[in-house]
Amino acid sequence: MLSRRSFLQGVLASSAGLMLPGTVEAYDRGEVLATLLDLSKCVGCGECVSACKEVNKSKFPVPKKPFPKMYPSRVKVADWSDKQDVDDRLTPYNWLFIQTATGTWQGKEFEINIPRRCLHCLVPPCANLCPWGACLKQKNGIVRINADICLGGSKCKSVCPWHIPERQTGVGLYLKLLPSYAGNGVMYKCDRCYDKIAQGKVPACIEVCPEGVQIIGPRDEIIAKAHELAKKMNGYIYGEYENGGTNTIYVSPVPFEVLNKCIEKGPGKPHLDKVPYSMDKEEYLGQAVLTAPVVGLLAGVLTVLSKFKKDEGEN
Amino acid sequence: MLGWNKSWKRLFAILVGLLMLTGFAQMPIFKRYYIADLPGLGWTADFYFNHRFHYVLATILILMIFFQIGRVIASGSLRYVTWFGWIKVVLWAGIIITGILRVLKNFPDFYFNPKMVMYIDWLHLAFPFILGLVALWGKFFKKKYLICPYED
Ligand code: HEM
Ligand code: SF4
Ligand code: SF4
Ligand code: SF4
């Protein structure tokens, strides 16, 4: 324990500035961590994108070919294994890309670069709705997909407001079950370098950035910093309330509605729209589920008792 | 007095049927196998709708089951539950407890570790299968879950 702590503090010192003070302690307490991205600083050099590919190489899929024949035939395979170098969108081999927004706002031209990846939602529908327990939420707020369990049904992608996870066919557990009839590979996305974080290190994309665009820390403090920064640059915040709150807070000098109109969107290229909380109805309905046993039981007992009373009265 | 009349039995059967449908629709198979293409069944591929519908159905089902539990207990009929009845009780308990744990997991303030979430998922999938088999077997051999002196 002692060695772990001193090790962590050593690492913390070396990556000073990128990690807020107290982050390691917060992590040890199981608190939620968040990242802050100052978009006014990003020059779009792509260092973070390369670092992500480099560091996570061992996690990338190595598909078996030829792929099992799929039934019914409308089921399409998703194969990125020959296009591993693609870095202008999200793929199973590219968990982070730089989206660029150019345009004019308030009479001034702007170019804003936006590093895009999974936002690590506080209440992640991808994990909550995974019927198989493969997409998971860690106590520290990291949302990641267990590649040993995932069947590649892509439900996480359908229910994610940004459609972040990407599929690679020909890998994973489905090959050992009914490869032609159920499942279709494994879904991949940013796992916030959970293994590095567990060692007290900062995620690769944060560490390599020459401009210091990102910092990581306990969510409350990151939110406070984001508001401070937004105030200073007269800027705007994205990710604090989106989908009920995320652990990725963007701060930009140009409003996100404007940026959203200026970016290329489509498969693997997520939008920057306002996103309502996707699991809010489940909160109300969940209350009903939880009260049902008590209400049902009481009603049942009372019916019998009142019948007994009535019978007694009649006798 | 503890027996269910025809319309209650029918309501219960419909609930279980719809729970199975909306439960299995939690898995991304209805679109793949063209079920969602059938007229009127497009909603089976809408994950959010199915999820919320499953919650509503589960609420009504739990109300009915606990209403019956309340009546059996209050009338002192627990001793009339057969061994077949107890098997069904255990399986239903399994479904409802794992279901409720899944509901809790979806609240922002609850946290279960990922391994536990995975086992709950698998159990919630397994219990309905076993219950289905047991119920079939019970139908075949005309098993009753309750031998009650004042039934109906
Ligand atoms: C006959 C009764 C039921 C059947 C056949 C059934 C079946 C299923 C199936 C097959 C799934 C998808 C696989 C999985 O996630 O494990 C599922 C998911 C689910 N069921 Fe059920 N279920 C039943 C009753 C219940 C009850 C009583 C509850 C609530 C107390 C419940 C709550 C859930 C939830 C919350 C999910 C999944 C999505 C999530 O984790 O949020 N189910 N059900
Ligand atoms: S490394 Fe930093 S400056 Fe370069 S693209 Fe990534 S976030 Fe932007
Ligand atoms: S952004 Fe999408 S993939 Fe990432 S945690 Fe949120 S719902 Fe899941
Ligand atoms: S946190 Fe790690 S996995 Fe996520 S984008 Fe950055 S480098 Fe890639």
Side-chain angles (χ1 to χ4, degrees):
Chain A
M1 207 54 224
L2 181 105
S3 65
R4 176 175 148 79
R5 173 154 295 271
S6 49
F7 164 69
L8 290 181
Q9 274 164 355
V11 177
L12 180 64
S14 71
S15 47
L18 300 176
M19 211 185 234
L20 291 180
T23 299
V24 174
E25 289 75 7
Y27 179 76
D28 281 350
R29 283 195 305 270
E31 278 176 30
V32 172
L33 304 182
T35 51
L36 168 60
L37 291 94
D38 179 350
L39 295 182
S40 72
K41 284 189 190 164
C42 178
V43 296
C45 64
E47 286 293 327
C48 51
V49 178
S50 320
C52 176
K53 269 177 149 27
E54 184 71 33
V55 161
N56 292 306
K57 208 167 216 122
S58 63
K59 301 172 191 163
F60 288 165
V62 185
K64 276 204 198 90
K65 291 188 198 179
F67 298 141
K69 198 163 166 42
M70 303 298 277
Y71 295 101
S73 55
R74 80 146 115 181
V75 182
K76 297 272 176 289
V77 300
D79 184 14
W80 289 91
S81 58
D82 299 328
K83 294 174 278 183
Q84 297 191 21
D85 294 339
V86 170
D87 65 359
D88 63 348
R89 57 161 286 173
L90 299 173
T91 81
Y93 300 88
N94 198 61
W95 302 349
L96 166 67
F97 79 105
I98 305 299
Q99 212 169 25
T100 304
T102 44
T104 44
W105 184 63
Q106 292 190 331
K108 274 204 211 119
E109 284 190 9
F110 67 80
E111 182 184 288
I112 303 272
N113 300 298
I114 315 147
R116 297 304 302 272
R117 54 161 168 77
C118 167
L119 288 89
H120 299 274
C121 302
L122 287 176
V123 186
C126 55
N128 279 339
L129 297 183
C130 174
W132 196 235
C135 188
L136 57 93
K137 184 173 97 171
Q138 293 186 184
K139 197 155 190 172
N140 58 14
I142 291 176
V143 181
R144 64 186 175 90
I145 299 169
N146 182 343
D148 295 333
I149 303 291
C150 177
L151 297 173
S154 198
K155 183 182 180 184
C156 50
K157 184 185 178 84
S158 311
V159 297
C160 166
W162 296 274
H163 308 301
I164 297 283
E166 291 283 339
R167 165 152 69 198
Q168 173 62 47
T169 300
V171 274
L173 186 61
Y174 91 111
L175 292 173
K176 298 199 182 103
L177 304 173
L178 297 166
S180 295
Y181 302 100
N184 191 358
V186 170
M187 306 301 294
Y188 292 91
K189 69 171 192 68
C190 160
D191 61 13
R192 182 157 276 176
C193 293
Y194 73 96
D195 39 353
K196 293 192 86 189
I197 289 204
Q199 297 169 7
K201 298 184 189 162
V202 288
C205 55
I206 301 184
E207 194 174 36
V208 300
C209 176
E211 308 295 328
V213 167
Q214 294 195 60
I215 54 169
I216 188 166
R219 189 170 193 272
D220 299 344
E221 288 172 44
I222 286 288
I223 296 285
K225 283 248 179 244
H227 282 276
E228 230 172 80
L229 182 64
K231 206 164 166 192
K232 219 164 62 194
M233 73 163 84
N234 228 338
Y236 303 85
I237 297 179
Y238 189 81
E240 183 179 1
Y241 297 112
E242 270 59 36
N243 195 23
T246 79
N247 294 324
T248 300
I249 314 296
Y250 292 102
V251 179
S252 156
V254 178
F256 286 91
E257 299 90 82
V258 177
L259 295 182
N260 190 39
K261 287 194 194 110
C262 304
I263 51 174
E264 202 184 314
K265 296 178 282 275
K269 299 180 179 179
H271 61 77
L272 278 169
D273 265 337
K274 280 216 156 39
V275 174
Y277 179 24
S278 49
M279 309 246 343
D280 63 336
K281 295 202 181 61
E282 275 78 353
E283 266 184 53
Y284 305 120
L285 296 174
Q287 310 268 356
V289 175
L290 296 187
T291 40
V294 184
V295 174
L297 197 69
L298 275 180
V301 170
L302 290 178
T303 337
V304 171
L305 293 186
S306 73
K307 184 153 168 41
F308 281 166
K309 263 229 171 79
K310 213 169 108 211
D311 289 353
E312 245 165 49
E314 277 166 14
N315 287 340
Chain B
M1 150 189 147
L2 291 177
W4 280 3
N5 65 28
K6 262 228 160 70
S7 42
W8 274 75
K9 280 187 180 158
R10 192 169 303 151
L11 174 65
F12 193 75
I14 292 172
L15 279 173
V16 171
L18 284 174
L19 273 160
M20 277 163 56
L21 183 70
T22 53
F24 282 94
Q26 304 290 321
M27 292 177 281
I29 46 177
F30 280 52
K31 187 148 188 176
R32 176 164 179 169
Y33 288 106
Y34 296 90
I35 296 162
D37 292 344
L38 298 176
L41 286 182
W43 57 272
T44 55
D46 178 341
F47 295 123
Y48 280 109
F49 178 79
N50 269 288
H51 196 237
R52 288 161 192 164
F53 196 16
H54 200 76
Y55 270 54
V56 172
L57 294 165
T59 306
I60 307 172
L61 180 106
I62 292 175
L63 279 174
M64 280 183 85
I65 288 183
F66 276 82
F67 181 71
Q68 184 68 352
I69 295 175
R71 294 203 305 165
V72 169
I73 293 176
S75 62
S77 312
L78 219 44
R79 63 206 141 112
Y80 301 119
V81 177
T82 63
W83 61 268
F84 177 74
W86 283 112
I87 293 182
K88 279 185 119 176
V89 167
V90 169
L91 291 171
W92 270 116
I95 295 181
I96 293 175
I97 292 169
T98 52
I100 286 183
L101 287 173
R102 302 210 62 167
V103 168
L104 288 177
K105 170 211 73 181
N106 292 338
F107 283 114
D109 302 332
F110 273 85
Y111 182 80
F112 297 127
N113 79 59
K115 267 238 162 61
M116 175 146 158
V117 172
M118 194 172 79
Y119 293 134
I120 294 170
D121 279 15
W122 292 358
L123 284 174
H124 192 70
L125 195 57
F127 276 120
F129 268 108
I130 306 171
L131 180 69
L133 291 177
V134 168
L136 269 179
W137 170 54
K139 265 247 149 31
F140 195 73
F141 292 105
K142 295 212 177 359
K143 293 272 181 216
K144 277 188 180 297
Y145 78 96
L146 201 59
I147 294 176
C148 189
Y150 23 74
E151 187 160 1
D152 294 318

